[in-house]
Amino acid sequence: MLLPKKILAAAAIFITIIAFIGLLLKDEDPAAKIFNECKIDNLQDRQTCFTTKILSAIDKDPSQTDHIFTGLWQLAIQGKITDDPRIFSDTAHAAGMMLASKTIDASQAFSWCGKTFKQGCMHGFIMEHIDHEFPGDKEIPTLLKICDIFTEPLFKNNCIHGVGHELAA
């Protein structure tokens, strides 16, 4: 049985309206949202705000780690964030540590760390991963075996560097 044209037209309009409302209600880009929420004059307060908001967003959706850091880097390149963008390096380490608390493996974490501030994120993950998986065991050969899963030199070298961070801590 074919539906009358008026019902089909009404259904099409209804679907279009619902789709438009969905676009209006869609969350703001996480990096832009963090940037807008952290427009604070005091540098230390602004950096604390960035760190708190970044880690909160990553805790809610770890797969957004790269997107958040890349977005903030782009805002810095555009001159919207006037602080030295390296302020996010320590936060990237903390983000990696947070990723280690999730039930994901190193390959997934490194993928989520993305490209911007990747090294800090990877180092943080490895440091925290070692604390969880090898409590009290600081034997270098044992710890370096963690890095055997990586064949890509960038990942492997960053993993080894993260092991070095943990040994120095």
Side-chain angles (χ1 to χ4, degrees), residues 23 35 41-42 48 50 72 78 82 101 123 128-129:
L23 288 174
F35 169 70
D41 289 335
N42 179 282
T48 299
F50 277 131
L72 290 168
Q78 295 166 10
T82 56
S101 71
H123 301 162
E128 195 69 15
H129 179 74

Side-chain angles (χ1 to χ4, degrees), residues 53-159:
K53 300 289 184 180
I54 290 167
L55 294 179
S56 176
I58 291 169
D59 190 40
K60 288 178 189 166
D61 186 357
S63 68
Q64 291 293 303
T65 303
D66 177 43
H67 183 69
I68 291 167
F69 281 114
T70 299
L72 290 168
W73 180 256
Q74 289 302 316
L75 290 168
I77 289 172
Q78 295 166 10
K80 294 179 180 176
I81 296 176
T82 56
D83 303 321
D84 184 336
R86 291 176 291 181
I87 63 170
F88 300 121
S89 180
D90 288 340
T91 307
H93 277 83
M97 291 176 176
M98 182 177 288
L99 291 177
S101 71
K102 308 293 180 187
T103 54
I104 58 173
D105 63 20
S107 294
Q108 180 64 66
F110 281 22
S111 173
W112 283 349
C113 283
K115 296 178 181 170
T116 310
F117 298 102
K118 174 189 279 191
Q119 288 81 358
C121 183
M122 288 189 226
H123 301 162
F125 177 86
I126 292 298
M127 291 170 68
E128 195 69 15
H129 179 74
I130 289 170
D131 284 343
H132 287 281
E133 297 296 318
F134 304 95
D137 185 3
K138 301 296 183 194
E139 295 294 320
I140 294 172
T142 302
L143 299 180
L144 288 175
K145 287 184 182 186
I146 297 168
C147 304
D148 287 346
I149 64 169
F150 299 107
T151 55
E152 183 183 328
L154 178 66
F155 283 161
K156 190 169 193 86
N157 292 339
N158 271 292
C159 181

